[in-house]
Amino acid sequence: MRSLLNFLTRYSNFILFILLEFAAIYMLTTSDGYHNIMISNKLKAAMGVIEKRISGASDYFSLREVNAALARENLRLRNRLENVFRDDEQYFTSVNDTVHRQQYVYTRAKAINQSTNRQKNFITLDKGSINGIETGMAVVGPDGIAGTVIGVSRNFSIAMSVLNLDFRLSARFRKNNYFGSLSWDGTNPGIVRLNEIPHHVNVELGDTVETSGYSSVFPAGLMIGRVADFNDEGGDFIRIDIELATDFNNLSYVYVIANVKREEQEKLEKGFINR
């Protein structure tokens, strides 16, 4: 009791000041005058700022769900372009389309592990054989190509990244369809080399390079990148550096592409090549 009395005596002036402040605010807010309106407006403005901050924080923490929803929607749109209509997006479906001559189907996957600082880089995906993934399927990101599947287990798969010394792909210029062989030299993870383009081909900085479709893996017309540098002096071909459209340091959701006519195509080609 004595401590309480000592506290009240010591801080009596401060406590009286606080009580008077509350009394003044109460009288201002309960009156119908100018001060009441001003205080109400200030409180509303302050609450608006707080609600905006809370809403912004909520939007930020929901970005992962939004990205997943967008990836699912993109998957549906891609398959619709290929004339596929199905409910389950997690699995490939068998197709016997004699009307639209469909050749490619897509399924969504997530890159759960990868490297970019080695000379032979790989990407681990969260889908495997139970999801219909098979070796030899193409892997593309939202902005461009990413690699090809080379290993599959029940629940996971491994893709050889474009950033791998063993990766090869037929690529062409979008503007004139001249094609060559695409490879990576193991140095810059953002630059690949387009080889075997003869000197008479018109090459300009910024030219778009895409998949040629001259394989049973990648459909034609998928984005690869743009010409970042070239040198047409000396040698049999132009040296062309391509800036990749895919940012491998920020690769998350990808699409795995299945060529439903791949077995037929490869069987026919193998029969003639081995003659």
Side-chain angles (χ1 to χ4, degrees), residues 224-274:
I224 296 176
R226 299 184 185 276
V227 174
D229 190 21
F230 66 94
N231 186 347
D232 58 359
E233 298 179 359
D236 296 329
F237 303 105
I238 308 174
R239 182 190 60 78
I240 306 174
D241 291 335
I242 307 299
E243 183 179 5
L244 287 169
T246 298
D247 182 358
F248 284 89
N249 290 313
N250 191 31
L251 188 63
S252 182
Y253 288 101
V254 298
Y255 298 99
V256 182
I257 306 175
N259 180 355
V260 298
K261 299 178 181 178
R262 178 186 170 195
E263 183 177 354
E264 176 187 352
Q265 178 182 345
E266 291 184 346
K267 182 178 180 180
L268 179 63
E269 292 175 345
K270 184 177 180 181
F272 281 90
I273 291 173
N274 292 337

Side-chain angles (χ1 to χ4, degrees), residues 66-138:
V66 171
N67 286 336
L70 288 174
R72 289 192 294 270
E73 180 63 20
N74 286 335
L75 175 63
R76 284 190 287 270
L77 291 174
R78 284 178 179 269
N79 279 314
R80 182 165 297 176
L81 289 173
E82 293 290 340
N83 301 301
V84 178
F85 299 91
R86 65 182 187 275
D87 293 329
D88 189 355
E89 68 179 17
Q90 302 299 328
Y91 300 88
F92 293 107
T93 57
S94 60
V95 176
N96 183 16
D97 189 349
T98 59
V99 177
H100 296 104
R101 315 299 297 176
Q102 177 197 338
Q103 186 168 353
Y104 298 98
V105 291
Y106 297 71
T107 192
R108 182 175 64 92
K110 185 176 183 181
I112 58 175
N113 192 17
Q114 67 165 319
S115 61
T116 58
N117 58 354
R118 303 172 183 172
Q119 292 197 325
K120 293 188 177 182
N121 296 290
F122 299 91
I123 306 169
T124 304
L125 306 178
D126 68 344
K127 298 291 175 62
S129 59
I130 62 172
N131 307 106
I133 307 295
E134 298 178 0
T135 58
M137 290 182 175

